[in-house]
Amino acid sequence: MTEATRAAGTAAALGLAAAVVSFLLADPGWVHSGDQANVAAMLLADRDPAAFRDDPLLGEPRLWSFYLPAYRWLLGALWAVAGDLGLAHRLLAALAAGIYVAGATLLFGRASGPSTSLGGASLAAGALVAVASTTVRDALGGTYWGVGPISTAQPRTVALALVPWLALGSLRLAGSRATPLVLLGAGLLANLHPPTSFFLAVGLLAAEAVRRTPWARIGLAAAAAGLGALPALVSIAASRGFPTGVSPATLAEIVAERFAPDLLPPPGSCLRDAGAAVLLPAFLAVIAWRGLRSRGLPPGARDLAVAGLAAFAAAVVGQGLAQLAGWLSGGPSLTLDLLRGSRFLYLALFAGIAAGLGEFLRGGLLPVRRATRPLFAVAVAAALLVPPAAVRRTVSSRARAREEAAAERAADLRGAGEWLRANAPGALVATEDAALRVLGRCAIAFSYDDAGFLLHAAPDRLVGWAQRSGAWRDAQARRDGAALRILGRVGGASYALVPAASDSGPAAWRGRALALVVLGD
């Protein structure tokens, strides 16, 4: 068996194992959220527009039809095959995990050695880091790096699953005339997730510049990336709306409040939100880089480090400049998507860890006996595999309480959704929980997740949304059942999903955390 065949077989076996584990361990209590809820609801609206005719977002396709049509097609195809939307998400998460792990095994294996070959130590290091890097880790901008759990069955994760393969192509074709083909693939990712596409292209182009690739070829590669992204960019640009009846200052105020996670946070908030997730891989990567300083990083690890750090820098600096430009013009930030590129920092960190583990397994870095090295390497990978969220649960009673409350709320959302599907499909419900659109096959009056679509396609409507949503959230915080009922009636809703403790009156359905009350005249 040749070295290449053994490496391909190992990558395929690990990818298959990751897919099976992801599918079997899918959380039975999972409830759609964020992009999952939005895209699933769009598929439902495509199939049955009448059920969502009263929905402020889904009832008007121009507000959302631009949103990731390629991803919607993929999820719809899996739904057609599986026959069930939940099963389709399980399949999607499993496919993403398998594709990612197979590609990451080869990528980090190549980054772990001084040559392009995938010998025993390099392949072992690549496999360990590939598996360890599947753990979901927070990044700035409300995004993450990781695959596997059913909650990751989202556009950003499907795009992430293809990142190792495109980065591997960049390493293999480094400096060659075929480089623009890799960038064309990076551009095509925009049809699945534009931020991932853009920052991957930035990173790969930076790596080409460090390799001293001719500037003409780098320009051609950048043009190829733009060409691949063109269908998505045209669709997004054609659907964009511009404010005519609302002042830039008002928009800026709403954006600052609603989209705070997408804006550049203060340093203290950075440490709180993403610091714990970055701490261990950063520590290990720094150890590896310092240990390899005398002989230099392997070329593959160096190129990945450049790509990851360039993408991270572009994300942070770009978002800062976008916010500064908005502030100088008296309006909102020019864009809210740039911080999502911050997750590429993990590409640099895991490349450094792979290089360090590869050198360690070959007998360098630390004076450890040969028989003990594999055990030590596995221990490092196991430590990286521990989810930061699990650590927070262990050490923080507040984190445990938040998770318990979220689980209780999710169970009640499923219960209320089942009642609505059986008794009032298509009803308009006063609530901010977008998941209820999917669970109950019903329209939603105040969804918190609608703001991004309104800001893009109909910014004039954002003021009214902010007023209604703000009033609803204030009444929820006060547990004011009477105010929630009034707001629901004003919004034309037939039902309101409210905190159970806020309303002791008759309810169509009642759970431990939530109650579904009927809004009469």
Side-chain angles (χ1 to χ4, degrees):
M1 180 183 294
T2 66
E3 192 174 85
T5 302
R6 183 172 63 251
T10 301
L14 284 175
L16 179 60
V20 170
V21 169
S22 170
F23 186 82
L24 294 179
L25 296 184
D27 181 8
W30 156 82
V31 167
H32 301 81
S33 63
D35 275 350
Q36 283 186 332
N38 290 330
V39 175
M42 291 169 192
L43 291 178
L44 291 170
D46 275 335
R47 293 188 174 198
D48 185 12
F52 297 94
R53 63 179 180 272
D54 295 326
D55 192 283
L57 176 68
L58 298 181
E60 197 168 344
R62 78 171 185 86
L63 298 178
W64 54 268
S65 58
F66 69 91
Y67 191 65
L68 305 179
Y71 177 81
R72 296 204 325 263
W73 175 88
L74 174 62
L75 182 59
L78 287 175
W79 187 5
V81 170
D84 176 78
L85 190 55
L87 182 56
H89 278 102
R90 290 180 68 183
L91 288 172
L92 187 59
L95 284 172
I99 292 169
Y100 172 85
V101 168
T105 298
L106 299 174
L107 176 68
F108 292 129
R110 193 179 182 93
S112 68
S115 68
T116 59
S117 64
L118 282 174
S122 294
L123 184 58
L128 289 172
V129 174
V131 173
S133 67
T134 60
T135 293
V136 176
R137 295 180 179 276
D138 294 333
L140 301 178
T143 191
Y144 57 84
W145 181 286
V147 297
I150 192 171
S151 60
T152 64
Q154 300 187 50
R156 70 191 75 178
T157 310
V158 176
L160 177 63
L162 299 174
V163 165
W165 292 98
L166 289 165
L168 181 63
S170 176
L171 293 184
R172 286 184 171 175
L173 300 174
S176 76
R177 295 181 179 179
T179 296
L181 293 177
V182 178
L183 270 296
L184 177 64
L188 287 170
L189 273 188
N191 296 284
L192 288 173
H193 193 245
T196 298
S197 169
F198 175 76
F199 287 105
L200 176 61
V202 167
L204 296 184
L205 289 171
E208 290 295 333
V210 169
R211 295 176 190 134
R212 299 185 180 179
T213 300
W215 285 107
R217 193 173 298 160
I218 292 177
L220 183 60
L227 180 63
L230 191 61
L233 297 178
V234 168
S235 175
I236 292 170
S239 62
R240 187 167 184 82
F242 296 93
T244 58
V246 56
S247 71
T250 301
L251 273 182
E253 184 179 344
I254 295 172
V255 167
E257 180 177 351
R258 165 58 184 88
F259 298 99
D262 300 308
L263 299 173
L264 194 62
S269 179
C270 292
L271 292 173
R272 184 186 67 245
D273 295 342
V278 173
L279 189 60
L280 181 58
F283 173 71
L284 293 171
V286 168
I287 289 178
W289 289 336
R290 287 182 63 85
L292 292 166
R293 184 171 51 184
S294 59
R295 63 182 66 186
L297 276 176
R302 180 204 62 205
D303 290 349
L304 293 181
V306 168
L309 292 173
F312 177 78
V316 175
V317 174
Q319 186 59 54
L321 292 175
Q323 290 175 219
L324 177 62
W327 178 74
L328 291 174
S329 66
S333 173
L334 298 185
T335 180
L336 299 169
D337 293 326
L338 295 184
L339 273 186
R340 293 171 187 173
S342 67
R343 67 176 177 169
F344 279 91
L345 176 63
Y346 290 111
L347 181 63
L349 297 181
F350 286 124
I353 294 169
L357 278 183
E359 180 66 16
F360 172 75
L361 289 172
R362 283 186 288 270
L365 291 188
L366 295 174
V368 178
R369 289 183 302 175
R370 182 173 183 176
T372 310
R373 290 176 209 152
L375 295 176
F376 187 91
V378 169
V380 169
L384 286 168
L385 196 57
V386 176
V391 176
R392 287 194 292 267
R393 282 197 303 270
T394 303
V395 302
S396 171
S397 58
R398 288 186 178 181
R400 290 194 298 273
R402 283 196 300 269
E403 289 208 2
E404 290 169 1
E408 188 175 81
R409 184 178 183 84
D412 281 0
L413 274 174
R414 290 194 301 274
E418 290 171 2
W419 188 93
L420 286 164
R421 288 181 70 172
N423 298 280
L428 180 60
V429 181
T431 180
E432 281 200 318
D433 288 293
L436 203 62
R437 283 179 172 136
V438 181
L439 297 170
R441 302 296 195 269
C442 61
I444 297 300
F446 305 115
S447 175
Y448 191 71
D449 293 324
D450 291 354
F453 295 94
L454 296 178
L455 179 63
H456 175 81
D460 285 342
R461 300 190 191 181
L462 200 59
V463 175
W465 172 89
Q467 292 171 345
R468 294 189 300 272
S469 180
W472 181 265
R473 293 171 71 82
D474 288 344
Q476 274 196 318
R478 299 193 311 270
R479 296 189 175 183
D480 188 341
L484 290 171
R485 284 176 177 266
I486 292 171
L487 289 168
R489 292 191 190 100
V490 170
S494 303
Y495 299 89
L497 188 67
V498 302
S502 71
D503 196 311
S504 58
W509 180 91
R510 183 176 293 275
R512 296 181 63 183
L514 300 171
L516 186 67
V517 299
V518 180
L519 301 178
D521 295 330

